[in-house]
Amino acid sequence: MRAGPRLSRRTFLTAGVAAGAGLAIGFCPGGDTLAAAAPSTEPFAPNPWIRITPDNVVTIIVDKSDMGQGVLTSMPMLIAEELEADWSAIRVEQAPAGPEYVNPVTKRQVTGGSRSVRNSWELFRKAGAAAREMLVEAAAGEWGVPPEECRAENSTIVHLPTGRRLTYGQLTDRAARLPVPQNPPLKSPKDFKLIGKRLARLETPPKVDGSAVYGLDVKTPGALVAVVARCPVFGGTPRTVDPTRAKAVSGVRHVVAIDSGVAVVADAFWPAKLGRDALDIVWDEGPTAAVSSESIARAFEAAGAQPGVVARDEGDVLAALGGAARTLEAVYTVPYEAHATMEPMNCTAWVRADGCDLWVGTQAQGFNQQTAAKLTGLAPESVKVHTTLLGGGFGRRFEQDFVAEAVQISKAVGAPVKLVWTREDDMQHDFYRPTTWNRLTAGLDPSGALVAWTHRLVGHSIAARALPAIVKNGLDPSSIEGAYNIPYTIPNVRVDWVQKETGVPVGFWRSVGSSQNAFVTECFLDEVAAASGRDPYELRRTLLTKAPRHAAVLELAATRAGWGAPLPRGRGRGIAVHESFGSVVAEVAEVAVEDGRVRVDRVVCVVECGTVVNPDTVEAQMEGAIVYGLTATLKSEITIAGGRVVQSNFHDFPLLRIDEAPRVEVYVLPSAEPPGGVGEPGTPPIAPAVANAIFAATGTRIRKLPIGPADLRG
Amino acid sequence: MAALQIRVNRAEHAVDVSSDTPLLWVLRDTLGLTGTKYGCGVALCGACTVHLDGEPVRSCVTPVGAIGAKHVTTIEGLSPDSSHPVQKAWVAEEVAQCGYCQSGQIMSAAALLAKTGAPSDADIDAAMAGNLCRCGTYQRIRRAIHRAAARAGGGR
């Protein structure tokens, strides 16, 4: 009897000692159908993503990390489609870190940028097709028939004229001896059996019975648990450390200094935390102690008076503004935001003289390997990365700080160590979504047409620290994305960017620059509509004549939302459209403003993301991205006082709750183009859609986030 | 220190920990029951929700010494084979994204349905507002609870 799809508990529990093994999910296929003949003895592994064993198990090795976006199902679908593998009997494994898993497009082994399916669309299908061609060839050879008479289906090769069959498992030895075709034919989309289907996610069952293993759940024999005291002020260092009281806590084994602070290492989490809290440390807070949200706002505003690096300059904006019948100007600001993944940062490291193992929920296995190699002096290939499930990523688990800490502590104490961050550690030592300051101007001609647009953006550069290779000509694309490339036809456009750092660390946060820039640009366009007496939807349509994808999602969103239908007093609809990560999303929010509070009742979301691999996953990602964006729109921000983060837990950084969550309707526009991103593009339009809806409901213009009661009073 | 006796998922355990240790860490670090999650440590997120004699509690703020003879049920003990109507509904509706908060969501939902057979949206909001989900799966949580209620009500 075949068990249902499930995470193999045995497989995972042994992962603690089995090098290279990680999470494995999938079926345990019955072997009895193969009992008659099993000539093969060796696995067939034509590339790093496929391993077929003589027991006819097709294992697909996924080099992307699951943080809720479904890659452990969608990525195998790409391979299984071309391989003609029996979907009900595949196994999925998490890849280790290694050069064979460096993506040819990004040149990195990372999960981010909504790139998993996008950048492996050809790669994975070709991997599956190559294996299929080799298996066909192997069967044809076995039978002595032309390959054209053979067909692959459901993990078997059929000889069409005679109906003879061989399973993939029976062909592994023979297939493994064949050359790997470099350009195997790919299926026509009309023949897809899996791609485009609403398949159940393979990783769901272990997530409902407690058996799913996240980083915090890893059980490594003999592991100690570490909690670290870090200076609350960014960049501060310990001046004096007295470990006496910490060492007096029962269960505490070691107190060790590491680059980021002082680690208390104990038998379990609770004594480690009590020990950490009992450390007596005097900190040298350093220069960032003088930084506050107010000082940052002043510095950004001052920086905004200076010209920046030009990101886009078309036409002659100065002349156009000078000759305009009417000009508008507005300043928009957005705050720092925490990622606040539900699972706080953690990593288990075991550093030995001859190698290092890492068990970690990570978005960046390749960088993890480099980080550990650098800190230990080991060769990168001696660092094994075992990727667990991620209890949320959103860009936070791209970073290396928690991995570096775990490696340093394990090296210092000579034992495997599970480093655990508390929620407070996580909230106060994040790499935050950057704060930005924006001044925009628009020029209208006598007919009310938009003839000039300028946008000066002041903000951090994430890439300067995290991915310097992508900074080109003094411009960090992650800062200006969604601002320099607004889709509207405007004859004179100038966008420039002033980089300003503050000592507060910043990082990639779901949808990155688009998360702020969509709010700024789509709200300001709404201001243009109001100033010119145009309907916000109609104005966008007229400006999108050269952007058919944008126009298509916008029109469907308006239709589904009932744009223009009357609403009771105090209610309003707002619309926004934004392209990011290769996909275009339009959202219409319907809000009610009562007693100084905003309630978002309904969101209509239309996405065009090219070819859809799993429609349910696309819908789920849009639903989730909207809720993620609503927390930043309505609820939470990170503020700085005395060089440290003011917020510490969910009481002062509240997340949107179920009783505040709107009804979300998602519509996916069909497309035959290659897939666009799905994890992030749902987030950018929600803030402007809500802010524009508040304007429609109340006449009050929102120019900063998050939207609080004072902002609603206008 | 004397070992404490606790009953977890119908089994007796002697645990050699200080009585003020939060139940969460006894479950996770002492008993190896890692299905119950740490999210905030101060009863603000619900990821650590377990049942004490059927009542949902936040195990991160429940000292192990305070539970006495009460039965603790964790996600691992909710059903032997994921057959609880809430677990089945969670799979059917594909609720989970990252999944980290879902143990707590499921335990809160199971406790709700044990008391309220056919909850309204308002009942669901009231019972589930203490369980945060950063992935934003709330709409599917609501749908899954309605589904589980329909199954549990109609199937017996």
Side-chain angles (χ1 to χ4, degrees):
Chain A
M1 201 184 84
R2 176 170 287 164
R6 60 194 316 183
L7 179 139
S8 158
R9 192 177 283 262
R10 187 197 61 77
T11 303
F12 188 76
L13 290 177
T14 56
V17 286
L23 167 78
I25 58 174
F27 292 92
C28 186
D32 36 11
T33 56
L34 310 171
S40 292
T41 55
E42 295 297 318
F44 169 50
N47 54 54
W49 303 281
I50 299 172
R51 185 175 64 245
I52 303 174
T53 38
D55 57 1
N56 206 28
V57 174
V58 174
T59 299
I60 295 173
I61 298 126
V62 176
D63 53 27
K64 301 293 178 187
S65 307
D66 178 80
M67 42 191 171
Q69 84 286 39
V71 286
L72 296 181
T73 301
S74 55
M75 305 279 290
M77 285 169 75
L78 305 182
I79 284 177
E81 178 71 65
E82 293 289 344
L83 180 57
E84 301 292 353
D86 176 2
W87 181 254
S88 69
I90 63 151
R91 245 178 91 91
V92 177
E93 251 180 44
Q94 196 83 59
E100 66 274 34
Y101 295 111
V102 170
N103 187 277
V105 181
T106 62
K107 313 278 191 258
R108 291 182 279 274
Q109 186 180 352
V110 301
T111 306
S114 299
R115 287 183 174 276
S116 296
V117 165
R118 269 201 293 166
N119 285 0
S120 300
W121 171 240
E122 286 233 343
L123 186 72
F124 267 44
R125 285 183 305 141
K126 281 188 174 169
R132 178 197 67 216
E133 294 298 297
M134 294 164 79
L135 289 158
V136 165
E137 185 83 23
E142 180 79 24
W143 290 320
V145 302
E148 299 73 41
E149 293 183 359
C150 302
R151 193 171 68 201
E153 58 179 43
N154 259 348
S155 296
T156 55
I157 305 293
V158 187
H159 181 230
L160 296 170
T162 61
R164 281 180 291 176
R165 289 171 173 269
L166 283 168
T167 68
Y168 289 0
Q170 289 169 310
L171 292 164
T172 56
D173 282 1
R174 196 178 261 275
R177 290 196 294 271
L178 296 170
V180 182
Q182 293 308 301
N183 263 313
L186 294 177
K187 289 167 74 170
S188 161
K190 70 177 167 38
D191 298 324
F192 285 164
K193 296 176 185 138
L194 300 174
I195 293 172
K197 296 286 185 307
R198 206 169 273 272
L199 296 186
R201 284 172 56 186
L202 299 175
E203 63 279 14
T204 294
K207 291 179 178 177
V208 307
D209 66 5
S211 66
V213 176
Y214 300 84
L216 274 182
D217 305 330
V218 167
K219 297 180 179 87
T220 307
L224 300 170
V225 178
V227 179
V228 172
R230 302 168 192 83
C231 183
V233 177
F234 295 113
T237 50
R239 186 175 292 154
T240 63
V241 181
D242 180 355
T244 312
R245 291 196 304 135
K247 285 184 167 171
V249 174
S250 171
V252 169
R253 302 285 161 196
H254 310 273
V255 175
V256 295
I258 58 172
D259 288 349
S260 65
V262 181
V264 175
V265 188
D267 295 336
F269 170 78
W270 194 245
K273 182 193 176 292
L274 293 179
R276 191 275 301 266
D277 294 349
L279 280 171
D280 290 304
I281 304 178
V282 177
W283 299 101
D284 180 350
E285 297 187 342
T288 308
V291 172
S292 67
S293 289
E294 293 72 26
S295 75
I296 292 168
R298 281 194 303 272
F300 275 33
E301 189 176 354
Q306 305 300 321
V309 184
V310 176
R312 178 174 173 185
D313 195 5
E314 286 169 11
D316 185 340
V317 283
L318 285 182
L321 286 169
R326 184 161 176 208
T327 60
L328 307 178
E329 180 175 314
V331 170
Y332 283 77
T333 58
V334 292
Y336 293 112
E337 287 287 335
H339 295 82
T341 60
M342 290 308 298
E343 179 192 22
M345 295 305 107
N346 65 87
C347 175
T348 298
W350 188 4
V351 179
R352 302 172 305 280
D354 62 340
C356 169
D357 283 79
L358 302 174
W359 293 267
V360 60
T362 176
Q363 294 179 240
Q365 290 85 350
F367 289 123
N368 297 156
Q369 210 174 26
Q370 291 165 21
T371 297
K374 205 168 147 193
L375 291 169
T376 57
L378 293 163
E381 58 270 23
S382 300
V383 178
K384 307 288 183 217
V385 181
H386 312 273
T387 302
T388 65
L389 292 171
L390 282 63
F394 313 119
R396 178 62 179 93
R397 287 188 155 92
F398 170 85
E399 302 293 348
Q400 301 302 307
D401 50 339
F402 50 100
V403 175
E405 287 183 346
V407 167
Q408 289 190 317
I409 299 165
S410 173
K411 189 178 168 198
V413 304
V417 169
K418 180 189 285 187
L419 165 76
V420 180
W421 286 35
T422 64
R423 171 58 55 196
E424 291 80 6
D425 297 341
D426 193 274
M427 194 70 79
Q428 302 198 317
H429 297 278
D430 199 347
F431 291 83
Y432 303 89
R433 190 275 296 270
T435 182
T436 69
W437 180 96
N438 307 265
R439 191 178 64 228
L440 298 96
T441 57
L444 309 181
D445 75 5
S447 75
L450 177 58
V451 292
W453 175 283
T454 76
H455 182 175
R456 173 155 305 148
L457 209 160
V458 180
H460 292 256
S461 169
I462 300 168
R465 171 191 62 84
L467 276 181
I470 70 169
V471 178
K472 296 270 158 64
N473 305 320
L475 282 168
D476 177 349
S478 74
S479 300
I480 55 172
E481 63 193 10
Y484 79 95
N485 53 338
I486 53 170
Y488 304 112
T489 302
I490 306 167
N492 304 283
V493 179
R494 185 182 170 92
V495 179
D496 63 356
W497 174 64
V498 181
Q499 183 186 348
K500 196 80 189 150
E501 303 299 334
T502 66
V504 177
V506 295
F508 301 113
W509 184 95
R510 194 175 195 169
S511 79
V512 196
S514 283
S515 81
Q516 305 110 326
N517 294 332
F519 166 68
V520 173
T521 58
E522 283 293 276
C523 286
F524 190 60
L525 189 72
D526 234 60
E527 295 202 44
V528 170
S532 58
R534 313 279 290 278
D535 176 87
Y537 161 62
E538 294 296 342
L539 173 65
R540 284 175 173 79
R541 274 186 58 181
T542 59
L543 296 174
L544 287 173
T545 47
K546 292 179 186 160
R549 293 177 80 196
H550 292 74
V553 293
L554 187 82
E555 283 172 23
L556 185 60
T559 304
R560 296 292 183 190
W563 187 263
L567 286 169
R569 200 181 151 75
R571 301 181 68 90
R573 285 188 201 91
I575 195 164
V577 60
H578 191 81
E579 175 180 3
S580 58
F581 310 95
S583 297
V584 191
V585 179
E587 288 167 13
V588 175
E590 194 175 312
V591 309
V593 182
E594 287 164 0
D595 308 326
R597 293 192 64 233
V598 185
R599 195 180 68 237
V600 182
D601 286 329
R602 179 187 180 212
V603 176
V604 170
C605 169
V606 178
V607 53
E608 197 264 81
C609 55
T611 299
V612 171
V613 176
N614 190 335
D616 188 68
T617 301
V618 174
E619 290 164 15
Q621 286 303 298
M622 294 304 134
E623 294 165 13
I626 285 166
V627 171
Y628 195 85
L630 280 173
T631 287
T633 305
L634 298 173
K635 305 272 296 186
S636 288
E637 64 181 315
I638 289 293
T639 57
I640 307 296
R644 67 198 80 200
V645 166
V646 172
Q647 293 72 23
S648 61
N649 208 315
F650 294 125
H651 64 293
D652 52 10
F653 191 88
L655 306 184
L656 200 83
R657 300 182 314 240
I658 193 170
D659 58 341
E660 302 165 309
R663 178 159 56 95
V664 177
E665 298 160 40
V666 180
Y667 303 92
V668 183
L669 273 189
S671 163
E673 296 299 310
V678 164
E680 295 168 274
T683 295
I686 192 58
V690 168
N692 293 340
I694 291 169
F695 177 78
T698 65
T700 300
R701 193 53 79 178
I702 302 294
R703 297 194 185 95
K704 67 177 253 309
L705 297 176
I707 303 164
D711 305 306
L712 297 172
R713 287 193 288 271
Chain B
M1 77 197 117
L4 286 161
Q5 287 288 128
I6 57 172
R7 299 185 72 177
V8 181
N9 299 335
R10 298 181 187 83
E12 297 284 339
H13 296 274
V15 292
D16 193 13
V17 296
S18 154
S19 64
D20 55 3
T21 307
L23 174 60
L24 170 66
W25 297 105
V26 177
L27 294 171
R28 291 182 55 83
D29 283 356
T30 310
L31 301 182
L33 293 171
T34 52
T36 304
K37 301 305 187 197
Y38 166 66
C40 71
V42 288
L44 288 169
C45 79
C48 68
T49 304
V50 299
H51 294 176
L52 261 193
D53 278 354
E55 291 291 327
V57 298
R58 309 298 188 220
S59 63
C60 72
V61 293
T62 304
V64 67
I67 62 176
K70 288 183 176 164
H71 292 208
V72 179
T73 306
T74 70
I75 184 74
E76 291 93 345
L78 187 62
S79 73
D81 51 4
S82 291
S83 60
H84 190 284
V86 171
Q87 289 171 305
K88 289 165 84 169
W90 245 246
V91 172
E93 296 290 349
E94 292 282 2
V95 172
Q97 287 187 27
C98 90
Y100 189 79
C101 73
Q102 300 297 346
S103 296
Q105 304 279 1
I106 288 168
M107 295 309 283
S108 289
L112 164 68
L113 290 174
K115 281 212 171 83
T116 310
S120 63
D121 280 350
D123 294 333
I124 292 171
D125 283 356
M128 303 298 294
N131 287 83
L132 301 179
C133 173
R134 186 59 155 155
C135 298
T137 63
Y138 298 126
Q139 174 159 303
R140 293 181 185 223
I141 287 173
R142 188 174 287 136
R143 225 155 56 201
I145 292 174
H146 285 306
R147 173 189 279 262
R151 289 294 162 89
R156 283 184 187 159

